[in-house]
Amino acid sequence: MLYLLYQTFHINLFQYITVRAGISFFIAFVLTLFLMPLFIRWAKRKNANQPIYELAPKSHQSKGKTPTMGGLVFLTSTLIGVIFTIKFNSLYAVGGVMTLILFGLIGIKDDLSKIAGNKNSAGLTSRTKMLFQIIVSLIIGLYLYFGHFSTELYVPFYKYPILDMGIYALAFWVFVFVATSNAVNLTDGLDGLATVPSIFSIATLSIFVYVMGHAILSQYLLVPNYKGIGEVSIIAAGLVGSLIGFLWYNCHPAEIFMGDSGSLAIGGFIAYMAIITKNEFLLIAIGFVFVMETISVILQVGSYKTRKKRVFHMAPIHHHFEIKGWAENKIIVRFWIIALISNLIALITLKIR
């Protein structure tokens, strides 16, 4: 909408991505701060709270009355900010909006199944959720593929593609989407634990997006240049703004949880940004906390099935430290520090090629 003002009334300020990204950030941030208390009060009246897993650490049982589905609010705020600020003639911007909406819908369906009826904490079955994630990932992958997006595969520290995946890129992209969305979902287990690493990851990837959309910067830093990709940084700015607003209420002790409606959408969008910036492998560093949490679950399950022994006291790994006696806030802040350092390392690769 702001870009239309530039075209119609020649308001040059609105042609710049950085200006529209800043406006998107503040619209989403202010809307989230305003809407979240209203949603919390409504959710408490409706008992829209997610039951706590009975085997979770004892400290979690007191959180049983904390409302969930906060992701619905910050996604709505993000989308409103985006509608006012992006150019919808960008293949990449439309794909980013599609990703937030489609993965958000999966999460909303899962959250509603948890809080409805008999309060079954399981929500959607893992098989059903996985099927939905694969379908949505394939839809977005096909959108990119038939939009003639490059199927070349890049690795960190090397400026040339190592191969062209062709049609097989679809399978690879689906894997990245499903793995990342589930990884963020697993991390969302403590107050604010997933929120701040998500902010760091989105901010890092938005830098890559902006650089790859800039003809001069992309040439200087030896990264591919894709026309129109810079618009995605406006969506990223809006999502970061809404997440900071959400953190105001989600920090320890949390007044609301993001739920799957938030975590799946965030994970899907991080995966989308990694794919369009050719940073699928660098995502290991960008989302290191999410990777760490996921690997802890894989090791725990694999060890118990093969050896009948546990590697950790409890998985994901943040529960392991809880059982060891670490204060919840200490775990959260230390994981935030790890996320910050890993994202700074990822940013260094932008120059070393």
Side-chain angles (χ1 to χ4, degrees):
M1 189 175 293
L2 291 179
Y3 193 77
L4 289 176
L5 289 176
Y6 154 67
Q7 290 182 314
T8 306
F9 300 106
H10 305 289
I11 304 175
N12 289 333
L13 189 66
F14 296 146
Q15 71 174 304
Y16 299 110
I17 288 175
T18 49
V19 171
R20 288 182 285 124
I23 294 172
S24 175
F25 174 95
F26 282 107
I27 290 175
F29 172 70
V30 171
L31 273 176
T32 302
L33 282 181
F34 173 73
L35 294 175
M36 196 64 73
L38 303 177
F39 182 81
I40 291 172
R41 288 197 290 271
W42 174 85
K44 285 182 176 179
R45 287 199 302 270
K46 299 295 183 180
N47 292 319
N49 49 283
Q50 178 182 327
I52 304 300
Y53 180 47
E54 60 182 10
L55 297 179
K58 293 181 180 178
S59 60
H60 286 240
Q61 302 308 318
S62 61
K63 300 180 181 183
K65 294 189 180 299
T66 305
T68 188
M69 285 187 73
L72 180 61
V73 177
F74 68 69
L75 283 181
T76 301
S77 299
T78 300
L79 292 172
I80 291 173
V82 164
I83 287 170
F84 277 96
T85 50
I86 69 165
K87 291 166 57 180
F88 279 97
N89 62 351
S90 165
L91 165 80
Y92 306 100
V94 173
V97 172
M98 282 174 52
T99 301
L100 285 176
I101 292 174
L102 293 177
F103 275 96
L105 288 174
I106 298 173
I108 290 169
K109 173 64 177 174
D110 192 35
D111 285 338
L112 289 174
S113 66
K114 291 176 182 177
I115 66 178
N118 60 1
K119 303 287 186 180
N120 176 19
S121 63
L124 294 175
T125 65
S126 57
R127 182 174 297 180
T128 302
K129 188 190 294 187
M130 180 70 73
L131 178 62
F132 284 152
Q133 287 173 300
I134 290 172
I135 292 171
V136 165
S137 302
L138 191 57
I139 290 171
I140 300 166
L142 287 168
Y143 170 79
L144 289 173
Y145 184 79
F146 287 108
H148 305 293
F149 177 64
S150 169
T151 55
E152 293 175 329
L153 182 65
Y154 287 77
V155 294
F157 307 112
Y158 190 62
K159 61 184 177 181
Y160 300 112
I162 58 173
L163 63 91
D164 189 337
M165 297 180 287
I167 191 67
Y168 298 106
L170 287 173
F172 180 58
W173 294 342
V174 168
F175 170 77
V176 174
F177 273 119
V178 173
T180 309
S181 58
N182 281 317
V184 176
N185 187 236
L186 284 172
T187 307
D188 184 33
L190 297 178
D191 301 346
L193 180 60
T195 307
V196 172
S198 296
I199 291 171
F200 290 152
S201 298
I202 295 166
T204 296
L205 285 165
S206 68
I207 293 173
F208 280 92
V209 163
Y210 182 76
V211 168
M212 293 178 73
H214 195 287
I216 298 174
L217 288 176
S218 60
Q219 184 178 14
Y220 172 69
L221 292 170
L222 305 175
V223 296
N225 175 240
Y226 299 129
K227 186 178 180 181
I229 196 175
E231 292 293 310
V232 179
S233 62
I234 297 173
I235 305 174
L239 185 54
V240 167
S242 66
L243 282 173
I244 292 174
F246 172 68
L247 185 63
W248 187 272
Y249 303 98
N250 183 236
C251 60
H252 184 70
E255 298 174 57
I256 189 166
F257 300 140
M258 70 169 64
D260 284 12
S261 54
S263 60
L264 291 181
I266 291 170
F269 187 68
I270 290 173
Y272 177 77
M273 292 182 76
I275 289 168
I276 64 173
T277 58
K278 301 299 182 182
N279 282 315
E280 297 95 339
F281 288 105
L282 192 61
L283 196 54
I284 295 172
I286 293 170
F288 184 74
V289 166
F290 307 133
V291 174
M292 183 172 64
E293 294 273 33
T294 304
I295 290 176
S296 71
V297 173
I298 293 171
L299 289 175
Q300 185 84 326
V301 173
S303 177
Y304 190 77
K305 285 188 174 181
T306 56
R307 305 186 303 148
K308 299 300 179 184
K309 293 182 180 180
R310 292 181 173 86
V311 178
F312 307 101
H313 292 303
M314 190 174 184
I317 198 170
H318 58 258
H319 289 321
H320 169 80
F321 292 116
E322 279 189 286
I323 293 174
K324 286 192 70 173
W326 288 24
E328 180 172 344
N329 214 32
K330 179 173 286 189
I331 298 169
I332 294 166
V333 173
R334 285 179 174 175
F335 276 45
W336 288 356
I337 293 171
I338 293 170
L340 175 61
I341 298 301
S342 64
N343 274 272
L344 290 175
I345 292 170
L347 282 172
I348 291 172
T349 68
L350 189 57
K351 180 60 178 172
I352 304 175
R353 289 177 184 268

